[in-house]
């Protein structure tokens, strides 16, 4: 039910804060609206109940274990939120002069420095608004680098078949042809195939390490060498940075450019499409091309570096400085946990993943890469369950919701059939992991004895299975007021 549908003419909630703005601003009469906006007329209690009920119809990290692989749905300390929302930050106008924003610029500058240290890169630009936009920026910098050297033959971007879909999309948007590199049976990039693919046409490779199959590529140095040797550059998709935080650094692995998904690794509630932040980091040779603006510190004064400071920049990707609220959350998080805390994030994320993997294997589930240790996530394949019980991965994922667990990532990466990509994160307790294991195990025996119950799940949620195709093809989100919700504004309000 929409809040508008609770509306009754004349019903009101009183404003409990004093009104600061004059009731009618200084707007010429001709430009003022003649009808009231169709706002819902509800009591305060109706509004509270409505939104509280809505919030409870969703799964969220605040209410449920949420082991969505590749997404790092971990607990976001409340302090990050409340400090980022201080009125000195939130109330600042983006066009206010630098002299009036030294505090926020200092935070952003320090965040650039922290991210440089964490990743081992030479310079960082905070402005991209998401991982995918960071990828676009990174690939655009690779293109700018080759073109600045007059090297126009490099038309191919190498992308492993395990990669996130945004990787090939970013490469194509920057005008490259994507060349797919297969993954070997043990989860590492197929080195022989890579060596056969590189050449004078190679602009670079886009790698996620640990990869989306949940293993750390043991040949990373050989990969870096093979690509650099032919003049290509290495792009690091930082979505899985949580696994290596404070342990190893992409810069030390030989990467030239990286993005970080701050909303995954550095504490921002996410899911449902944003908001996020995808800062990019580069090695020395790509620094001139970084997106602007960046924050510089000169004689204890902070200022924005813009196109005039960085004439070779690939340009601007977002309005003003990017999603500042998300950057501030990341800054607070980094300061809260500190250098030691970063290392513990990766240790416990990896420990939790390997505990879960071992227990699930013992319960009879099949690991996709049984010879490998998990990074912070891992894949189980349910192809045996699909074959023997006629119950597929989507059925099991939907049944998990009835048990009170958000499903892991399903059917990604595409190269593993009937897969669940599971990422518990460092913030789940052993008790909660045990609960998740018990739920999956119970569903597996249900699949044996009552497969129909699993196939028709979920049974306990406000909505059952959605028609994904219809939702995509005939999406209708528009609410149309009926005629009597608009009332004429009378003369005294005019
Ligand atoms: C999430 C993710 C991305 C894209 O990041 P967004 O911030 O969602 O745009 C890219 N690669 C991998 C491996 C991811 O998990």
């Amino acid at each position: 039910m929409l809040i508008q549908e609770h509306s009754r003419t004349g019903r009101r909630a009183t404003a409990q804060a004093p009104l600061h703005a004059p009731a009618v601003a200084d707007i010429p009469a001709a430009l003022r609206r003649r009808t009231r906006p169709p706002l819902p007329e509800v009591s305060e209690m109706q509004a509270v109940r409505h939104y509280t009920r809505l919030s409870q119809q969703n799964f969220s990290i605040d209410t449920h274990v949420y082991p969505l692989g590749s997404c790092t749905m971990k607990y976001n300390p409340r302090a990050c939120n409340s400090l980022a929302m201080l009125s000195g930050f939130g109330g600042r106008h983006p066009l206010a002069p630098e002299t009036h924003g030294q505090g926020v610029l200092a935070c952003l500058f320090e965040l650039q420095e922290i991210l440089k240290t964490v990743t081992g890169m030479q310079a960082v630009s905070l402005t991209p608004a998401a991982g995918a936009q960071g990828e676009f920026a990174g690939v655009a910098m690779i293109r700018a680098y080759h073109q600045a050297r007059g090297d126009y033959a490099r038309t191919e971007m190498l992308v492993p078949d395990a990669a996130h879909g945004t990787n090939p999309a970013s490469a194509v948007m920057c005008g490259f042809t994507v060349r797919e590199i297969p993954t070997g049976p043990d989860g590492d990039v197929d080195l022989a195939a890579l060596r056969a693919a590189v050449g004078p046409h190679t602009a670079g490779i886009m790698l996620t390490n640990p990869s989306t199959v949940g293993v750390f590529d043991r040949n990373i140095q050989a990969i870096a060498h093979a690509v650099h040797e032919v003049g290509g550059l290495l792009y690091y998709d930082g979505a899985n940075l949580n696994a290596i935080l404070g342990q190893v650094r992409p810069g030390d692995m030989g990467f030239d450019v990286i993005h970080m998904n701050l909303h995954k690794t550095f504490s921002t509630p996410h899911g449902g499409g944003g908001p996020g932040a995808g800062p990019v980091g580069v090695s020395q040779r790509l620094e001139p091309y970084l997106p602007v603006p960046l924050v510089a510190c000169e004689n204890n004064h902070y200022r924005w570096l813009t196109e005039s400071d960085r004439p070779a920049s690939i340009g601007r990707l977002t309005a003003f400085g990017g999603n500042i609220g998300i950057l501030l959350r990341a800054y607070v998080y980094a300061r809260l946990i500190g250098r030691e805390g970063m290392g513990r994030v990766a240790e416990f994320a990896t420990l939790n993943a390997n505990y879960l993997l071992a227990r699930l294997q013992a319960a009879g589930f099949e690991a996709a890469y049984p010879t490998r240790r998990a990074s912070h996530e891992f894949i189980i394949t349910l192809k045996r369950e699909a074959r023997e019980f006629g119950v597929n991965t989507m059925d099991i994922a939907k049944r998990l919701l009835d048990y009170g667990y958000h499903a892991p990532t399903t059917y990604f990466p595409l190269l593993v059939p009937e897969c669940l990509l599971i990422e518990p994160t460092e913030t789940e307790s052993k008790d909660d992991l045990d609960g998740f294991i018990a739920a999956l195990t119970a569903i597996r025996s249900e699949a044996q004895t009552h497969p129909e119950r699993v196939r028709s799940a979920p049974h306990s949620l406000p909505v059952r299975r959605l028609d994904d195709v219809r939702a995509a093809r005939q999406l209708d989100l528009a609410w149309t007021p009926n005629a009597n919700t608009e009332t004429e504004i009378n003369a005294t309000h005019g």
Side-chain angles (χ1 to χ4, degrees):
M1 201 168 179
L2 299 175
I3 184 89
Q4 280 86 354
E5 293 170 274
H6 292 290
S7 186
R8 295 289 175 273
T9 307
R11 196 172 276 166
R12 287 284 181 278
T14 48
Q16 296 182 357
L19 209 57
H20 292 300
V24 178
D26 197 11
I27 297 170
L31 296 178
R32 285 186 217 152
R33 62 187 310 149
R34 314 202 70 78
T35 52
R36 285 180 185 285
L39 297 175
E41 298 183 77
V42 292
S43 70
E44 182 170 329
M45 187 181 210
Q46 280 181 304
V48 168
R49 283 194 183 146
H50 176 75
Y51 288 107
T52 304
R53 195 181 306 122
L54 277 189
S55 75
Q56 290 171 343
Q57 289 186 349
N58 265 322
F59 275 61
S60 74
I61 183 66
D62 286 351
T63 50
H64 297 87
V65 175
Y66 207 130
L68 197 60
S70 211
C71 292
T72 312
M73 302 297 288
K74 62 186 189 181
Y75 173 68
N76 306 292
R78 288 298 180 272
C80 303
N81 217 35
S82 50
L83 291 175
M85 295 203 317
L86 288 175
S87 63
F89 293 134
R92 186 174 178 273
H93 194 284
L95 292 175
E98 284 162 355
T99 47
H100 290 50
Q102 287 292 296
V104 68
L105 286 177
C107 294
L108 297 177
F109 179 81
E110 283 179 28
L111 179 61
Q112 287 175 181
E113 295 298 304
I114 291 168
L115 296 179
K116 275 161 59 176
T117 309
V118 165
T119 60
M121 306 308 285
Q122 288 299 313
V124 163
S125 166
L126 300 172
T127 61
Q133 206 186 28
E135 289 175 32
F136 177 78
V139 178
M141 285 190 273
I142 291 178
R143 184 181 58 186
Y145 169 80
H146 290 310
Q147 289 185 354
R149 295 156 52 92
D151 194 349
Y152 291 95
R154 299 189 182 272
T155 54
E156 270 186 17
M157 188 60 73
L158 309 178
V159 181
D161 55 1
H164 196 267
T166 48
N167 289 189
S170 303
V172 168
M173 281 181 72
C174 288
F176 290 109
T177 307
V178 171
R179 182 149 175 181
E180 196 171 273
I181 306 295
T183 301
D186 54 2
D188 291 334
V189 168
D190 182 334
L191 205 51
L194 173 75
R195 287 192 174 123
V198 296
H201 45 270
T202 304
I205 185 169
M206 299 180 80
L207 268 185
T208 313
N209 194 28
S211 71
T212 56
V213 306
V215 301
F216 188 91
D217 202 305
R218 293 165 296 190
N219 303 319
I220 183 59
Q221 285 175 314
I223 294 171
H225 182 68
V227 175
H228 279 153
E229 199 179 26
V230 300
L233 298 181
L234 273 86
Y235 183 91
Y236 183 85
D237 178 329
N240 288 344
L241 197 61
N242 214 53
I244 60 165
L245 214 54
Q247 307 288 339
V248 279
R249 309 191 303 169
D252 300 334
M253 294 181 218
F255 285 93
D256 300 283
V257 47
I258 80 166
H259 83 255
M260 295 149 262
N261 308 63
L262 296 190
H263 44 286
K264 295 178 182 174
T265 316
F266 286 86
S267 180
T268 283
H270 70 288
V280 282
V282 291
S283 60
Q284 203 107 47
R285 52 184 165 170
L286 290 179
E287 192 170 346
Y289 310 110
L290 276 174
V292 286
L294 306 133
V295 185
C297 178
E298 293 156 358
N299 306 322
N300 280 331
H301 176 82
Y302 298 96
R303 72 174 185 97
W304 291 112
L305 296 178
T306 63
E307 288 84 348
S308 52
D309 303 286
R310 294 294 178 105
S313 163
I314 59 161
R316 285 176 190 255
L317 295 160
T318 43
F320 305 111
N323 277 337
I324 304 276
I326 306 306
L327 300 173
L328 289 169
R329 281 170 178 77
Y331 174 68
V332 176
Y333 180 72
R335 293 291 305 268
L336 272 180
I337 65 173
R339 196 181 286 261
E340 276 176 35
M342 300 244 181
R344 283 203 301 274
V345 164
E347 276 167 20
F348 282 94
T350 306
L351 179 63
N352 276 357
N354 281 284
Y355 173 72
L356 209 50
L357 172 61
R359 290 282 315 273
L360 288 174
Q361 280 179 296
F365 288 97
E366 188 182 340
Y369 297 96
T371 60
R372 302 297 300 275
R373 197 169 65 180
S375 60
H376 64 315
E377 62 187 358
F378 61 91
I379 298 178
I380 60 175
T381 169
L382 299 168
K383 55 178 196 268
R384 202 166 56 212
E385 286 77 359
R387 193 176 56 236
E388 289 175 13
F389 314 140
V391 165
N392 66 22
T393 301
M394 189 53 72
D395 299 330
I396 290 177
K398 293 292 182 191
R399 187 66 177 136
L400 265 173
L401 302 173
D402 285 330
Y403 280 78
Y405 294 90
H406 192 283
T409 296
T410 55
Y411 299 105
F412 172 78
L414 297 172
L415 71 151
V416 180
E418 296 295 334
C419 74
L420 281 180
L421 176 60
I422 306 176
E423 179 180 359
T425 82
E426 72 280 9
T427 55
E428 293 302 336
S429 68
K430 180 172 176 295
D431 292 342
D432 284 324
L433 297 182
D434 289 341
F436 177 73
I437 294 160
L440 259 185
T441 310
I443 294 169
R444 192 166 185 276
S445 38
E446 251 181 1
Q448 242 165 323
T449 52
H450 300 90
E452 195 39 48
R453 191 185 297 161
V454 181
R455 279 197 290 267
S456 53
H459 299 283
S460 62
L461 270 69
V463 288
R464 302 289 297 273
R465 291 226 189 170
L466 298 175
D467 183 342
D468 297 338
V469 176
R470 222 182 116 218
R473 298 276 156 79
Q474 298 168 23
L475 187 66
D476 180 9
L477 296 174
W479 177 78
T480 339
N482 57 31
N484 58 15
T485 40
E486 289 218 3
T487 42
E488 278 293 318
I489 293 181
N490 63 34
T492 52
H493 281 87

